[in-house]
Amino acid sequence: NAGVTQTPKFQVLKTGQSMTLQCAQDMNHNSMYWYRQDPGMGLRLIYYSASEGTTDKGEVPNGYNVSRLNKREFSLRLESAAPSQTSVYFCASSSNRATVTNEKLFFGSGTQLSVL
Amino acid sequence: DAKTTQPNSMESNEEEPVHLPCNHSTISGTDYIHWYRQLPSQGPEYVIHGLTSNVNNRMASLAIAEDRKSSTLILHRATLRDAAVYYCILKTGTYKYIFGTGTRLKVLA
């Protein structure tokens, strides 16, 4: 059972470099999310995609762009990486069907990103 | 925005019950209370959620105060595998999950 798959697991960038974090889910979920986790700060929402073809900003979107490529895939791009973007990045998905109240998030295992 | 407040850390002895508290005094009437836990080097995983009534599942119980301004996650018999960071989260609307800073639970053998 793959669930939510993130690649890569680890990445080191130099300031100013760009990269894309990939996320794919195989649960036919409608909604997908990107979070970052910094020490002592819990998880903060960067962007989310309520459904295929839509994306919206979360709490901390500056410096990031996203693409909902299809229902399965949701990528996060850093155009010009900065040391402040050193963090652990988590992708998540949920079905978010309007008729169901017990929706929950399913998370990937994370990407540890260091920007030097 | 509504927020949650949790103790930074707690300890429990193995095989004993654990009560993890969470304050959410600014909760709105339609906000769901979710609990997730994060094991070392993993993404968070769902534990339980509720709206107004107490909830039980195979992992835990959730006790929600009558005024909904606080809740308690109850692990009935802590095991070493329950050592994790437990997050109390408010789900506001369809897509917004507001994470707190979590409680690190240490289980002593």
Side-chain angles (χ1 to χ4, degrees):
Chain A
N1 295 335
V4 179
T5 304
Q6 292 183 235
T7 55
K9 292 191 182 302
F10 302 94
Q11 184 71 50
V12 179
L13 294 177
K14 294 181 179 178
T15 298
Q17 287 185 317
S18 62
M19 79 159 296
T20 300
L21 279 64
Q22 306 288 351
C23 175
Q25 52 90 9
D26 62 2
M27 296 172 282
N28 200 34
H29 282 171
N30 291 320
S31 302
M32 298 185 72
Y33 309 77
W34 276 105
Y35 287 89
R36 60 177 288 173
Q37 184 174 36
D38 301 301
M41 296 191 72
L43 278 77
R44 292 181 294 169
L45 181 64
I46 304 171
Y47 270 93
Y48 68 95
S49 171
S51 60
E52 186 178 356
T54 69
T55 60
D56 283 286
K57 295 178 180 179
E59 303 169 73
V60 288
N62 291 344
Y64 305 95
N65 286 303
V66 290
S67 296
R68 183 73 182 269
L69 304 171
N70 48 54
K71 192 171 186 179
R72 289 187 65 247
E73 299 173 286
F74 188 39
S75 63
L76 178 72
R77 183 161 178 82
L78 287 70
E79 292 290 351
S80 178
S84 61
Q85 294 179 304
T86 293
S87 188
V88 180
Y89 291 84
F90 288 100
C91 178
S93 70
S94 67
S95 57
N96 272 335
R97 293 161 292 170
T99 57
V100 179
T101 60
N102 63 342
E103 300 296 347
K104 53 191 177 185
L105 291 171
F106 293 82
F107 283 86
S109 57
T111 296
Q112 174 74 58
L113 176 67
S114 295
V115 183
L116 306 178
Chain B
D1 265 348
K3 62 176 290 186
T4 62
T5 305
Q6 301 174 252
N8 288 333
S9 63
M10 293 183 65
E11 283 187 0
S12 173
N13 293 319
E14 199 176 10
E15 306 287 320
E16 291 186 355
V18 181
H19 290 232
L20 298 169
C22 180
N23 288 319
H24 29 77
S25 58
T26 56
I27 191 170
S28 298
T30 55
D31 294 345
Y32 279 81
I33 301 160
H34 283 236
W35 284 82
Y36 284 70
R37 72 179 186 179
Q38 187 173 22
L39 301 171
S41 301
Q42 294 187 26
E45 63 175 352
Y46 171 82
V47 177
I48 200 166
H49 82 284
L51 183 61
T52 56
S53 304
N54 294 344
V55 183
N56 300 297
N57 67 21
R58 63 174 184 81
M59 291 181 71
S61 295
L62 175 60
I64 301 172
E66 197 169 331
D67 63 5
R68 300 209 329 125
K69 293 185 177 182
S70 65
S71 61
T72 302
L73 179 69
I74 302 164
L75 307 179
H76 295 289
R77 289 181 66 213
T79 70
L80 296 177
R81 289 177 296 179
D82 291 322
V85 178
Y86 287 79
Y87 291 100
C88 172
I89 298 157
L90 296 184
K91 184 180 182 226
T92 65
T94 307
Y95 310 109
K96 197 168 186 180
Y97 295 77
I98 301 173
F99 279 73
T101 54
T103 297
R104 184 173 298 277
L105 176 65
K106 186 175 181 179
V107 180
L108 305 174

